[in-house]
Amino acid sequence: MTSTDGSSSRGPYAKGVQRRQEILDQTLEVVASRGIDGTSLRAIGEAIGVSHAALRHYFSSREALLVEVLRERDEASNRALGDTAGVFTRLEFVAHRNVVEPALVTLYTTLLGTSVEPGNETARSYFAGRFATARAELAGQLRDELTASGRHSDADLDQVASLIIAAFDGLQVQWLLDRDVDIAGTLRLLERVL
C-alpha cells in the first residue's frame, strides 16, 4: 500500500519512520521533565525505552536529535498557520503556541545560545538557515502587506525583519524568566510602533 506522499505504509521503512517520530515526540517530554542538562542521548534513550544504539541509528548526536525536534516543531507550526494572513497575526499565533510548551521555548533558547560556541555546528547551521529563511519570508510578507495597503516605507525591510525576529526571541527569553511577560501583547505594540 502506498500513501499519498508515495511512501509505503507497511514494512520496515514505515516502522522506522514511525519510530523516529515517536522518538522526536517523546524527547521534548524528557526535556520538560529533566531539563536540557539531563538529556544526554543515553538518558533520552533510557527515558523513552530506546537503546542508545537505536537512537544513534536515527540521530548522529544529541545535538542532531534536539535540532530535529525544533525542526519538526517549526514544520508543525507552519502547517497549523496555513495561509493565515498578516505578519503580526502569524507571530501572535506562534507566541500563543509556544507559551503552552515552555520546554520547547527552553530547548530553542538553550540550543540557540550554544550554537555560537565551537563544536555545535549542527545547531549553528540550523539557526543560521532558520534566521536567513525567516528574515527573507518576513521581509517579503511585509513588502506584500505594504503593497496591498498602498503604503510605502523607506525602512530597509530586511532590517525590520531582523528587528522583529530579535524582539520575538528576546521576549521569549524574558518570558522564560518571568511568566508575566506578554509576548503576543508586546509584539502587537511593536506592530503599532513599526
Side-chain angles (χ1 to χ4, degrees):
M1 178 184 277
T2 302
S3 68
T4 57
D5 67 357
S7 64
S8 173
S9 62
R10 288 190 255 180
Y13 175 76
K15 288 178 185 174
V17 169
Q18 180 181 358
R19 188 60 178 148
R20 183 179 185 279
Q21 187 61 51
E22 290 169 358
I23 292 167
L24 290 171
D25 293 342
Q26 293 173 359
T27 295
L28 191 57
E29 294 172 22
V30 176
V31 170
S33 65
R34 297 185 180 194
I36 298 293
D37 290 339
T39 56
S40 69
L41 206 53
R42 194 169 305 280
I44 291 169
E46 289 170 5
I48 65 177
V50 176
S51 71
H52 185 258
L55 279 178
R56 295 283 300 193
H57 171 75
Y58 294 106
F59 306 98
S60 61
S61 66
R62 170 186 176 262
E63 180 186 18
L65 169 58
L66 296 177
V67 164
E68 197 57 34
V69 168
L70 292 179
R71 186 174 282 117
E72 156 87 13
R73 293 305 174 114
D74 282 347
E75 291 171 7
S77 276
N78 287 334
R79 285 190 303 273
L81 273 166
D83 57 1
T84 302
V87 168
F88 285 93
T89 301
R90 294 173 68 84
L91 291 171
E92 187 174 346
F93 175 85
V94 173
H96 286 302
R97 277 181 64 108
N98 287 357
V99 298
V100 298
E101 286 193 283
L104 178 64
V105 179
T106 299
L107 176 59
Y108 174 90
T109 303
T110 302
L111 281 183
L112 175 58
T114 60
S115 72
V116 300
E117 297 174 358
N120 296 316
E121 298 311 314
T122 301
R124 177 186 299 266
S125 175
Y126 166 74
F127 283 108
R130 186 180 193 279
F131 285 138
T133 298
R135 279 191 305 270
E137 288 177 357
L138 277 172
Q141 291 167 3
L142 290 167
R143 280 184 197 92
D144 292 347
E145 286 182 26
L146 285 170
T147 300
S149 69
R151 292 178 292 158
H152 171 76
S153 173
D154 290 332
D156 180 327
L157 295 181
D158 292 319
Q159 289 179 344
V160 172
S162 290
L163 176 63
I164 292 168
I165 294 166
F168 192 97
D169 284 355
L171 288 166
Q172 287 193 133
V173 171
Q174 291 179 54
W175 176 81
L176 285 171
L177 297 170
D178 178 358
R179 294 300 202 265
D180 290 333
V181 171
D182 181 359
I183 299 171
T186 308
L187 289 170
R188 285 190 300 273
L189 172 62
L190 180 61
E191 178 182 21
R192 289 193 304 271
V193 168
L194 290 174

